[in-house]
Amino acid sequence: TACAAAYLTPKITTYLDSFRKGFDSNLSKVPLTFMKSDGGLAPVGDFGGHQAILSGPAGGVVGYAKTTPSRPVIGFDMGGTSTDVSRYDGHWEHVFETVTAGVAIQAPQLDIHTVAAGGGSRLFLRQGLLVVGPESARAHPGPVCYRKNGYLAVTDANAVLGRVIPEYFPSIFGPNEDEPLDVQGARVAFQQLLQTAEEHLDGKSVEELAYGFLQVANEAMCRPIRNLTQMRGFDIRTHTLACFGGAGPQHACAIAKALGMTKVFVHRYGGVLSAYGLSMADAVHEEQEPAAEVYSTPEGGVNTDIADREARMTHLAERATEQLVKQGYKKEEIVTEQYLNMRYDGTDNAIMIQETPETTYGDAFHSQYMREFGFDLVGRNILVDDYRVRAVVPGETPAAPKAVEPLGPPPPRGTARAYFENGWEDVSVYKEEDLKPGHEISGPSIIVQDIATVVLEIGCNAIVTADGDLDITVAAAEEVNEEDEYGEIIIKEDPVKLSIFSHRFMGIAEQMGRTLQRTAISVNMKERLDFSCALFTSDGGLVANAPHIPVHLGAMQSAVKFQTEYWNSEGREGIQEGDVFVSNHPQLAGGSHLPDITVITPVFHKGEIIFFVASRGHHADIGGIAPGSMPPHSTCLEDEGAMIVGFKLVRNGQFQEEGITKILMEPGKREGSSGTRNLRDNLSDLRAQVAANNSGIRLLGELVQEYGLKTVQAYMHFIQKNAELSVRHMLKEFAKKNGSTAHAIDFMDDGSPIELTVTIDKETGSAVFDFTGTGPQVRGNHNAPPAVTYSAVIYSLRSMVAQDIPLNQGCLAPIEFIIPEYTLLNPSSDAGVVGGNVVTSQRVVDVVLGAFRACAASQGCMNNLTFGNEKFGYYETIAGGSGAGPTWEGRSGVHTHCTNTRITDPEILERRYPVLLRQFALRHGSGGRGAHKGGEGVIREIEPLQPLVMSMLSERRVLHPYGLEGGEPGACGRNLLVKKGGIVVNMGGRCSGTLDVGERLLIETPGGGGYGAVVE
């Protein structure tokens, strides 16, 4: 946030100075306020760059919130390059940390979600998939129909389909900006696309292709709306869709239909609603103070002194009010809103709770926590992290519109031909100035406003309100008749539906992940996001894996297939509805390493299993010989914690707490080992994984209800086939340029080789990945089960395909694996493997990418740190440098390849654990030099505040990350112990020991390799 403010504020200040110089006295006597991202106005002297990042969309939120008559509302702001969605239910929904363009900002902002789909989003056909964006045609050259040699975009699709009528547009296009929209040019561009991809489009017409792209664009915009509502426990069907932005009214009715919404509201100033909202915004000043107080205890006592709390709130309110008075507002105009930032002890997700006359802070916290997370935490203190007061001078709010008498349909200006789901339709065209309050218009039809075009879809009916706005009722979509759907039908692959289902399947996996993040307790899952969620076919084939943790990709499929075979084998009880399975055994049950526990739920339909859903999460401790269950010196699997081959975590709908507790405490029966040190978190996170699976089942059920079971199952297989074709195409292209064989070898720090020979069939795109030559399994823990190698390969192939393809089993369909038994990559069932998942997997990726000459080596390690004692265990992975490539510099201080977890925030780390974070910085000079430089590693220095066992499991401490094509290698990492007297001891790549108070662990992570020879 500080960096963003330092970069943006001077630029904004320079602009504002220039703006004011255009007026008399530099506007010194005129109040000048600016919209902030939180929806409030601030004076020019109190306006920082970090507060302005979403100020434009925030104006739109204020606009629809104050003008849409019904609640709750979804805001749908579609412009040229992106679409912003938000929600309003009578209260502003603020968030206090967001990521915009990859930059994390901690400042109050309205909760606005952005997706890269707008009128200027470019259209592509890639391996049979229709793709919309994220690339944009921009204002210049713009879409094809702008007559500037532009790119095929969403606006071209609307023009070709008659949804944009050129005669109602000004003639401002072409090189001289004096020509009308070029519909014919857009049509020719679609015809050219058809000709280049005839084999995928099965005789589609230009109109069918253009309409298909609109459907895909609409589905891309539906995803964030589903996430904003369903993910947080709201029923999307109860909301009104308030659309604005230049392109929003063209798509709003179709999107409402797709989401099952029945109401759409189009404001008369919808094309400029952000500016209109700015005129009605509140003047706001906030004051906030940190706190570290216990609000209440499990026994029901309120610990925070009420008088003291009221005094602090009064003090903050007076300060905030004083600031607004200084800006020229009257004290009697100002209202204050008081908030406590509250959380449960042992969790890190605080909720900002507003005081209301009807309820206490505590009751409001319980209620909101239950709605947000689906459960309540019994027996924990409620803590207060912050006091916050928001002083507000309310802006203008329009009066509620009066009821109108129906007038029937207005006279149309003319007719036009437009394309809808049933094909071409003759539609009436209306001009906004001809409409009077009470006029009723039925779809399909088109309404031309001065600043937007409104497309009424089939089954939609609009009435003009007293203010001239459009209140639209949307007909419910027809549901698929399951009985008809079970007839003898052959479902043919359609590229439009293929693209839509690709979005839907991935959206379900993503929502499962968000449910898991919301409902989990541990830092590992809630903060570091060390989990993955996925959907599978009834035979266990991976369909969609949200891009959470790459090393989980192939391994989850193996786990699902194993459980299916295990429970259906002779002597087992089979699989019943209401069962949920849990496993983690790497060699026997398709796991990655023991801390990664997989929860698998079968999805039943009419008594038969139709799908599986699964979630895999890293549990911070599951027992074993070291806190954190990542022992650097383990020599067998038993050292590493509890082992689960197969257990019914839920049986007949009942959570088996006693049984899973017994399994997790089992390692404590071995001498020198312990049962889990975090049982409460284990149980809570397992329940969260079950809840995530249940959300996936619900969403899959809605998908089946919408499209029919056979269609959904068919497109699961079509999606897998599409990924397979993409990988085959990439392999054939590589073979054409580089020959049919590729080879690479790299070494672990102990000298163990990992060798790969790839043999590609140039005709079919099939390939053999032969790991013969890889060293024998080791008496250590960096052995890797085959599932980890599958994951590393599927990740590498997915990365080398130059387009966005689904992550599923189709990526591995062209690949035959040869992994000799009892080697480092295929060890015996009792071998230690905890390091294979986190260090050897990275080396396998380096070997695969090296064989294909794709890029230089990245840091090649996850730098696994664990610390704790007999009461707790903590685990984190630490970033490093990424390798450079033919056209890019390596990124510094990032996770690479097989993991992409977050580091724990310093404040959370120090608040929850007895440690002090001394240093966390980039390690300058660690990236390999080259024409493109490798990324820098990091330095992380931690000091215990009480004696703690600290352990490091790491690689690339001996052998450097390689450079490529003349690039220099990256620097090796180091794990250093800084003793009390200042003596520095190199601990080696795998180390464990007790650190006393005053000692420090200093970790320097490797840099990435450089690419290309250094140019002096």
Side-chain angles (χ1 to χ4, degrees):
T1 307
C3 290
Y7 172 72
L8 292 171
T9 302
K11 294 184 178 296
I12 291 175
T13 301
T14 300
Y15 165 74
L16 295 180
D17 289 343
S18 172
F19 173 77
R20 286 186 292 185
K21 285 177 181 177
F23 297 88
D24 292 339
S25 304
N26 291 339
L27 287 178
S28 59
K29 299 179 181 179
V30 177
L32 183 60
T33 56
F34 289 85
M35 173 66 78
K36 297 189 296 182
S37 300
D38 67 355
L41 297 174
V44 63
D46 190 29
F47 188 61
H50 64 293
Q51 301 171 313
I53 289 172
L54 292 178
S55 56
V61 175
V62 173
Y64 81 75
K66 292 204 170 190
T67 58
T68 307
S70 56
R71 304 279 188 275
V73 195
I74 294 293
F76 171 65
D77 179 6
M78 182 178 177
T81 58
S82 64
T83 297
D84 297 312
V85 299
S86 53
R87 182 179 180 275
Y88 182 74
D89 64 356
H91 301 88
W92 306 118
E93 298 194 358
H94 287 114
V95 291
F96 298 88
E97 180 178 344
T98 57
V99 178
T100 303
V103 179
I105 302 294
Q106 288 186 332
Q109 299 182 20
L110 290 172
D111 192 4
I112 299 170
H113 296 231
T114 301
V115 61
S121 294
R122 293 176 58 185
L123 309 179
F124 305 94
L125 188 65
R126 293 172 174 158
Q127 299 296 317
L129 270 177
L130 274 66
V131 179
V132 178
E135 299 91 336
S136 173
R138 306 187 305 275
H140 181 80
V144 172
C145 62
Y146 281 16
R147 298 180 183 269
K148 292 183 180 179
N149 297 316
Y151 304 103
L152 201 60
V154 171
T155 297
D156 293 309
N158 277 313
V160 164
L161 297 175
R163 292 162 168 253
V164 171
I165 306 174
E167 53 261 40
Y168 293 102
F169 264 69
S171 294
I172 56 172
F173 305 100
N176 299 320
E177 299 182 350
D178 58 357
E179 298 178 76
L181 281 172
D182 184 8
V183 176
Q184 183 58 30
R187 188 174 186 83
V188 169
F190 276 109
Q191 287 172 335
Q192 291 171 345
L193 185 60
L194 278 171
Q195 291 166 4
T196 59
E198 289 183 28
E199 72 276 14
H200 296 298
L201 296 175
D202 195 25
K204 282 191 180 297
S205 65
V206 164
E207 292 82 8
E208 289 171 325
L209 179 60
Y211 189 71
F213 274 116
L214 285 192
Q215 290 178 289
V216 174
N218 290 342
E219 182 55 42
M221 293 180 281
C222 286
R223 266 171 84 172
I225 297 176
R226 291 191 182 97
N227 292 342
L228 199 62
T229 51
Q230 294 172 338
M231 182 194 80
R232 298 173 56 192
F234 298 117
D235 185 350
I236 197 169
R237 296 167 298 181
T238 64
H239 292 66
T240 296
L241 187 68
C243 75
F244 52 106
Q250 296 170 34
H251 295 256
C253 290
I255 284 174
K257 264 189 172 182
L259 292 168
M261 302 172 74
T262 59
K263 298 291 287 184
V264 173
F265 186 79
V266 182
H267 194 272
R268 60 194 179 282
Y269 300 142
V272 290
L273 194 63
S274 291
Y276 187 58
L278 184 66
S279 70
M280 298 184 290
D282 303 334
V284 173
H285 185 85
E286 288 196 8
E287 292 287 343
Q288 186 165 322
E289 284 185 355
E293 301 173 359
V294 176
Y295 175 83
S296 66
T297 62
E299 294 75 30
V302 176
N303 280 23
T304 305
D305 184 84
I306 296 177
D308 180 59
R309 186 171 71 230
E310 289 180 348
R312 290 187 69 171
M313 285 294 193
T314 300
H315 175 62
L316 290 176
E318 288 173 349
R319 279 167 44 186
T321 301
E322 181 184 353
Q323 292 300 316
L324 289 178
V325 170
K326 285 181 179 179
Q327 295 172 30
Y329 298 104
K330 297 177 181 178
K331 194 170 185 178
E332 55 269 23
E333 296 178 304
I334 300 170
V335 295
T336 58
E337 302 166 355
Q338 299 183 356
Y339 300 84
L340 291 180
N341 201 22
M342 307 172 76
R343 63 182 174 88
Y344 278 115
D345 189 14
T347 71
D348 303 298
N349 280 66
I351 301 176
M352 198 65 75
I353 301 297
Q354 183 178 0
E355 181 189 41
T356 65
E358 298 81 23
T359 183
T360 66
Y361 285 110
D363 289 342
F365 173 77
H366 282 293
S367 175
Q368 191 164 336
Y369 197 94
M370 177 66 75
R371 182 186 59 74
E372 279 279 324
F373 303 116
F375 62 91
D376 209 355
L377 293 177
V378 180
R380 298 202 186 196
N381 292 345
I382 298 176
L383 308 182
V384 177
D385 282 348
D386 300 277
Y387 287 79
R388 174 183 172 225
V389 170
R390 184 176 169 91
V392 177
V393 177
E396 177 191 351
T397 300
K402 298 176 181 178
V404 294
E405 293 292 330
L407 296 181
R413 277 290 180 98
T415 60
R417 282 177 57 76
Y419 195 91
F420 293 87
E421 63 255 40
N422 298 329
W424 285 106
E425 301 267 358
D426 290 319
V427 301
S428 297
V429 179
Y430 301 92
K431 284 281 285 180
E432 183 182 39
E433 57 259 34
D434 299 334
L435 305 183
K436 296 179 180 178
H439 270 147
E440 298 170 294
I441 304 171
S442 298
S445 57
I446 294 174
I447 303 168
V448 180
Q449 298 178 319
D450 289 339
I451 43 184
T453 298
V454 182
V455 176
L456 284 183
E457 299 282 338
I458 295 172
C460 296
N461 294 284
I463 186 167
V464 182
T465 70
D467 293 331
D469 307 320
L470 295 176
D471 192 352
I472 303 171
T473 302
V474 181
E478 294 182 9
E479 294 182 359
V480 172
N481 187 320
E482 279 289 325
E483 298 302 321
D484 294 343
E485 213 251 337
Y486 269 94
E488 290 295 322
I489 56 173
I490 298 174
I491 299 171
K492 294 181 67 176
E493 181 178 340
D494 177 77
V496 176
K497 281 189 176 179
L498 186 68
S499 304
I500 291 172
F501 274 106
S502 176
H503 278 286
R504 294 296 292 271
F505 291 146
M506 190 60 76
I508 291 171
E510 288 172 352
Q511 287 204 49
M512 289 173 63
R514 290 187 177 93
T515 300
L516 180 49
Q517 182 188 3
R518 286 192 305 118
T519 55
I521 295 298
S522 68
V523 168
N524 254 19
M525 294 193 203
K526 204 170 200 68
E527 295 296 324
R528 294 186 55 250
L529 310 182
D530 196 346
F531 59 77
S532 288
C533 299
L535 320 178
F536 303 83
T537 56
S538 58
D539 61 358
L542 178 64
V543 174
N545 196 124
H548 295 131
I549 306 297
V551 78
H552 293 167
L553 294 179
M556 287 240 275
Q557 176 176 295
S558 303
V560 174
K561 289 188 173 184
F562 173 82
Q563 293 299 315
T564 304
E565 296 166 1
Y566 178 81
W567 291 103
N568 287 326
S569 61
E570 188 174 347
R572 304 278 174 195
E573 59 192 88
I575 301 174
Q576 282 83 39
E577 201 161 352
D579 287 347
V580 179
F581 314 116
V582 63
S583 70
N584 71 345
H585 200 292
Q587 291 95 311
L588 298 180
S592 44
H593 61 178
L594 293 181
D596 283 346
I597 299 180
T598 307
V599 174
I600 302 164
T601 307
V603 184
F604 281 83
H605 181 80
K606 297 186 177 180
E608 293 185 3
I609 295 174
I610 54 172
F611 314 118
F612 284 94
V613 292
S615 53
R616 173 171 289 181
H618 187 113
H619 289 246
D621 197 289
I622 54 162
I625 62 174
S629 302
M630 295 285 290
H633 300 303
S634 60
T635 58
C636 63
L637 195 63
E638 285 186 323
D639 290 343
E640 298 169 6
M643 298 177 288
I644 313 170
V645 174
F647 177 73
K648 289 193 175 182
L649 181 65
V650 177
R651 188 188 298 269
N652 297 323
Q654 299 297 312
F655 188 84
Q656 303 297 301
E657 182 170 332
E658 183 178 343
I660 193 64
T661 299
K662 182 179 179 182
I663 291 172
L664 291 171
M665 299 306 298
E666 187 71 20
K669 296 179 179 179
R670 291 183 67 228
E671 186 177 352
S673 186
S674 168
T676 178
R677 301 162 182 88
N678 284 354
L679 179 62
R680 184 173 73 169
D681 281 7
N682 292 138
L683 295 175
S684 295
D685 285 351
L686 286 170
R687 288 190 175 95
Q689 289 179 256
V690 173
N693 289 2
N694 287 339
S695 73
I697 292 172
R698 176 177 55 81
L699 293 169
L700 278 170
E702 292 176 4
L703 195 62
V704 168
Q705 188 176 17
E706 185 176 345
Y707 287 97
L709 176 60
K710 282 197 172 181
T711 299
V712 174
Q713 289 178 322
Y715 275 91
M716 282 188 165
H717 293 290
F718 294 153
I719 287 287
Q720 292 170 334
K721 190 68 177 176
N722 179 264
E724 177 185 342
L725 290 173
S726 298
V727 172
R728 288 188 186 276
H729 177 75
M730 184 275 292
L731 292 170
K732 286 191 284 188
E733 288 296 310
F734 177 85
K736 285 179 186 177
K737 295 178 183 177
N738 303 283
S740 59
T741 60
H743 177 267
I745 186 170
D746 203 348
F747 297 86
M748 305 294 287
D749 280 351
D750 69 351
S752 296
I754 296 177
E755 186 168 2
L756 170 64
T757 302
V758 180
T759 306
I760 303 170
D761 186 321
K762 293 183 178 181
E763 301 301 320
T764 65
S766 296
V768 176
F769 278 55
D770 185 354
F771 287 90
T772 300
T774 297
Q777 73 179 60
V778 297
R779 190 177 183 274
N781 61 24
H782 56 279
N783 304 291
V788 169
T789 298
Y790 302 154
S791 297
V793 171
I794 194 175
Y795 162 78
S796 301
L797 293 174
R798 169 66 182 74
S799 298
M800 289 187 287
V801 173
Q803 63 190 62
D804 189 14
I805 64 169
L807 298 165
N808 61 47
Q809 76 166 28
C811 293
L812 287 183
I815 309 302
E816 176 189 343
F817 286 92
I818 299 175
I819 309 176
E821 202 170 15
Y822 306 127
T823 61
L824 189 68
L825 303 183
N826 191 4
S828 60
S829 62
D830 59 348
V833 297
V834 74
N837 187 61
V838 293
V839 294
T840 310
S841 63
Q842 300 282 60
R843 198 59 49 84
V844 173
V845 171
D846 282 343
V847 170
V848 175
L849 296 180
F852 283 88
R853 314 299 290 175
C855 63
S858 294
Q859 65 161 334
C861 180
M862 297 185 194
N863 304 294
N864 305 271
L865 167 67
T866 55
F867 61 76
N869 53 29
E870 67 280 356
K871 296 180 180 179
F872 78 94
Y874 170 79
Y875 169 66
E876 72 178 20
T877 56
I878 305 171
S882 74
T887 60
W888 68 87
E889 310 289 316
R891 291 289 299 274
S892 299
V894 295
H895 267 313
T896 54
H897 299 325
C898 290
T899 187
N900 50 16
T901 55
R902 290 174 52 171
I903 198 76
T904 306
D905 287 340
E907 295 83 1
I908 292 173
L909 179 70
E910 294 181 345
R911 183 170 64 199
R912 292 193 62 175
Y913 300 102
V915 296
L916 186 66
L917 183 62
R918 284 282 191 173
Q919 184 182 180
F920 189 37
L922 291 180
R923 184 188 175 199
H924 295 292
S926 57
R929 298 199 311 153
H932 297 285
K933 187 177 180 297
E936 310 278 23
V938 304
I939 300 171
R940 192 162 174 87
E941 186 176 7
I942 297 178
E943 178 181 342
L945 300 179
Q946 64 186 56
L948 294 175
V949 175
M950 289 193 165
S951 306
M952 277 296 298
L953 177 55
S954 57
E955 271 285 324
R956 294 288 194 201
R957 267 52 182 176
V958 177
L959 301 176
H960 295 258
Y962 63 78
L964 206 60
E965 305 298 341
E968 296 180 4
C972 287
R974 298 195 300 173
N975 304 325
L976 306 174
L977 170 63
V978 183
K979 294 193 169 184
K980 294 179 183 178
I983 297 173
V984 178
V985 180
N986 189 332
M987 303 286 286
R990 291 168 172 78
C991 56
S992 183
T994 300
L995 267 69
D996 290 327
V997 177
E999 296 183 321
R1000 306 192 303 277
L1001 182 63
L1002 177 64
I1003 303 156
E1004 297 177 347
T1005 68
Y1011 189 98
V1014 177
V1015 180
E1016 298 294 347

